[in-house]
Amino acid sequence: MIILFQPPPGLGAANPSPFCIKLEVLLKMSELPYKIKIEGNPGKGPTGKIPFIKDKKNMMGDSGLIQRYLENEYKVDFDAGLTDRQKADGLAYSRLADEHLYWAVVYSRWMEDENWAILKKIFFGKLPIPLRWIIPGIARKELGKALHGHGIGRHNRETIYALAGEDLTAISGFIGDRKFAFGDEPKAVDAALYGHLSGIIDAPFDTPLKRAALSHDNLVAYNARMRARFFPELGAPPG
Ligand SMILES: N[C@@H](CCC(=O)N[C@@H](CS)C(=O)NCC(=O)O)C(=O)O
């Protein structure tokens, strides 16, 4: 059976990590049996990031690569019935969320002092002293470097949120008034979009990013719809 390694639910969402939400939704869509093993330390995974899985004795990281693995190994067709053009659009929007919008979320959580104070307690509050005093600062510094390396971290706050606001407007236009991205049934792109939207809309951080997401009624409804479909045990989104 596939073992999914990820942290426990948190930050008002099925998982504090958008990529863990994405992968768990994909696993649920696949209807393959899987078991969750709680693991909060990305360093334990093969790529140093969460989520990761173990299947048939192999460890594997990266939600996108795991998606391809499930497609190849188990013949799961996450995009059944879509045209090549729709599949291309789905991949492009997944990448928009995974590789761009995500980094604005990282900025909002880790670089904004008031959000960092909340995040630090949740992520590191249970570490024994003196690790609790040392690790959070190191992790924050590393993410500051990652934001700089990505490029988005070289912009000021206003620009970062303006760029992310454009992503959200594009996603809102993409979803339109459909139930899911391509109609009445969720496809691969819905797993990615929901992971990131939930991390923005459901998390307890009042940021321009969240306000931008909340200004799109269709995104709020879509987030609630995905949550009700894949994580009914969580109940309605907070707030
Ligand atoms: N491309 C990866 C990204 C995963 C990722 O960035 N995970 C974050 C948590 S949301 C992580 O583990 N960060 C730890 C680190 O960068 O050291 C995927 O799709 O799974």
Side-chain angles (χ1 to χ4, degrees), residues 4-7 15 17-24 39 42 45-53 60-64 66:
L4 167 63
F5 294 84
Q6 62 177 13
N15 204 281
S17 160
F19 296 100
C20 294
I21 299 177
K22 172 186 166 185
L23 182 56
E24 197 175 354
E39 179 56 74
T47 61
K49 293 198 182 240
I50 46 168
F52 56 98
I53 63 164
M60 207 177 311
D62 195 287
S63 60
I66 296 166

Side-chain angles (χ1 to χ4, degrees), residues 1 20 30 42 47 63 68 76 82 112 118 122 133 136 147 173 177 182 189 198 215 227:
M1 183 186 302
C20 294
S30 78
T47 61
S63 60
R68 294 290 169 248
V76 180
L82 299 189
E112 300 265 46
I118 299 171
I122 296 171
W133 296 331
L147 284 160
D177 57 8
F182 291 110
V189 65
S198 174
S215 75
R227 182 174 171 119

Side-chain angles (χ1 to χ4, degrees), residues 51-68:
F52 56 98
I53 63 164
K54 186 171 182 191
D55 189 38
K56 302 178 183 168
K57 299 199 176 140
N58 298 317
M59 304 289 278
M60 207 177 311
D62 195 287
S63 60
L65 293 182
I66 296 166
Q67 178 187 330
R68 294 290 169 248

Side-chain angles (χ1 to χ4, degrees), residues 61-124:
D62 195 287
S63 60
L65 293 182
I66 296 166
Q67 178 187 330
R68 294 290 169 248
Y69 170 76
L70 299 175
E71 288 166 347
N72 294 331
E73 188 71 20
Y74 293 102
K75 308 294 169 232
V76 180
D77 189 356
F78 293 107
D79 284 339
L82 299 189
T83 63
D84 285 350
R85 187 177 178 135
Q86 286 174 317
K87 288 180 192 170
D89 284 346
L91 181 64
Y93 275 97
S94 299
R95 295 262 155 92
L96 174 90
D98 285 355
E99 309 296 345
H100 190 263
L101 179 60
Y102 167 70
W103 288 101
V105 174
V106 170
Y107 173 85
S108 75
R109 290 181 176 185
W110 290 77
M111 300 298 135
E112 300 265 46
D113 287 339
E114 64 275 29
N115 299 338
W116 166 240
I118 299 171
L119 193 75
K120 186 162 75 166
K121 263 199 210 120
I122 296 171
F123 281 10
F124 305 106

